[in-house]
Amino acid sequence: MTVVQIKDLTKRFGETTALQGIDLEIEPGEFVSLIGPSGCGKSTLLRIIGDLIEPTSGSSTVNGKPARQARIDRDYGIVFQDAVLYDWRTVAKNIALPLELARWDRRRRAAKVREMVDLVELTGFENHYPWQLSGGMQQRVSIARALSFDPALLLMDEPFGALDEMTRERMNMELLRIWEASGSTVVFVTHSISEAAFLSTRVVVMSPRPGRISGVISIDLPQPRTATTREEPHFFELVTEVREALHLGHDMERTPA
């Protein structure tokens, strides 16, 4: 079953059209990045998929369900640019929060938290508080929390945008490892061309507002990807292809009909 299906979707905020005529399908196990200039509607599209806002017209379904039902059924987890952790809760208790809300019993919660802590390699930090962790570690806690209830879909809105470049590259490696281990489908918003090319199975390029899909680029880099992947000639070819697609989409929007 297609995980995400978007048909002829438009979103307006008052007189401003943020998204127009979006059609997109995302299959199980894909890692799809959304990239485009600031204000093109990347985050808006992600939030519509996650039922945080509603489209003006068109449809968005997750696992064959309306976005609202998919949210109720906990079919997806969401990670934002800020980790959004509760300072008064430990790492373990932050991860356990969705499970508490879902009324999992204590033993089942504890087992799942141990599994998630191991997945994001934070064993030994279970009883630390967010303010005792680095920015990268906080984001790993946020990812663990989002994956704790085994969602089919992980939505990520520029989760590494506030990190320095070295930490960001390390977190890219961590995210790929977690994605492969969890089997989730990922939709990832980024401004970074190299990040999109490194992480993705496909890159969806969006035009300036009103946001449209101006191109979809398949990323055929072999898995697992490593630090040396960024040094391969084909990686630079794909980065160039994404960059050219961005420029083409921008030029098309500036050309009169």
Side-chain angles (χ1 to χ4, degrees):
M1 180 186 294
T2 299
V3 177
V4 177
Q5 187 170 58
I6 297 168
K7 292 184 177 180
D8 196 24
L9 187 143
T10 293
K11 177 61 181 178
R12 298 186 184 89
F13 296 98
E15 299 299 317
T16 300
T17 301
L19 297 168
Q20 184 169 310
I22 301 292
D23 291 293
L24 181 64
E25 291 188 358
I26 299 174
E27 302 301 323
E30 283 199 282
F31 194 121
V32 174
S33 288
L34 307 178
I35 192 168
S38 295
C40 73
K42 302 181 298 294
S43 294
T44 298
L45 180 56
L46 191 85
R47 289 165 185 262
I48 288 173
I49 295 171
D51 191 45
L52 298 179
I53 56 177
E54 294 183 356
T56 303
S57 62
S59 65
S60 172
T61 62
V62 176
N63 287 341
K65 311 169 189 174
R68 177 66 50 85
Q69 188 60 48
R71 177 172 61 80
I72 293 170
D73 293 345
R74 299 179 182 273
D75 283 355
Y76 53 79
I78 303 179
V79 179
F80 297 103
Q81 182 169 339
D82 296 321
V84 197
L85 302 176
Y86 293 101
D87 284 341
W88 60 90
R89 295 179 72 101
T90 63
V91 165
K93 289 186 176 180
N94 267 286
I95 294 172
L97 182 58
L99 310 180
E100 293 175 17
L101 296 175
R103 299 187 177 181
W104 287 29
D105 64 65
R106 183 172 297 180
R107 181 175 296 181
R108 188 183 176 201
R109 285 202 312 266
K112 192 63 178 183
V113 167
R114 285 194 299 271
E115 179 186 339
M116 291 296 101
V117 166
D118 182 61
L119 179 67
V120 298
E121 297 186 347
L122 285 175
T123 301
F125 291 91
E126 296 91 337
N127 295 318
H128 284 61
Y129 290 89
W131 49 269
Q132 296 174 305
L133 306 177
S134 68
M137 293 171 77
Q138 289 180 22
Q139 279 296 48
R140 278 190 273 165
V141 176
S142 182
I143 293 168
R145 181 178 60 190
L147 289 172
S148 63
F149 47 92
D150 298 320
L153 178 64
L154 182 61
L155 305 176
M156 309 189 78
D157 192 358
E158 295 192 73
F160 310 137
L163 303 179
D164 64 83
E165 187 172 356
M166 288 184 64
T167 303
R168 186 170 184 154
E169 289 189 2
R170 188 169 66 251
M171 287 301 299
N172 285 174
M173 297 291 296
E174 289 290 331
L175 178 57
L176 283 180
R177 180 185 60 79
I178 293 166
W179 167 62
E180 291 171 1
S182 68
S184 287
T185 303
V186 177
V187 181
F188 186 94
V189 169
T190 180
H191 277 104
S192 169
I193 295 172
S194 61
E195 183 173 64
F198 182 74
L199 291 173
S200 309
T201 58
R202 285 192 298 156
V203 176
V204 174
V205 179
M206 298 182 65
S207 69
R209 189 174 64 239
R212 300 181 178 90
I213 293 177
S214 59
V216 179
I217 297 168
S218 295
I219 305 296
D220 57 355
L221 295 169
Q223 300 282 2
R225 295 172 192 173
T226 67
T228 59
T229 300
R230 296 180 183 271
E231 301 169 5
E232 296 174 2
H234 189 45
F235 174 72
F236 289 107
E237 292 171 359
L238 289 165
V239 167
T240 299
E241 187 175 352
V242 175
R243 182 178 289 111
E244 289 177 348
L246 281 166
H247 287 307
L248 180 61
H250 188 268
D251 291 343
M252 288 174 63
E253 289 300 313
R254 292 170 61 90
T255 302

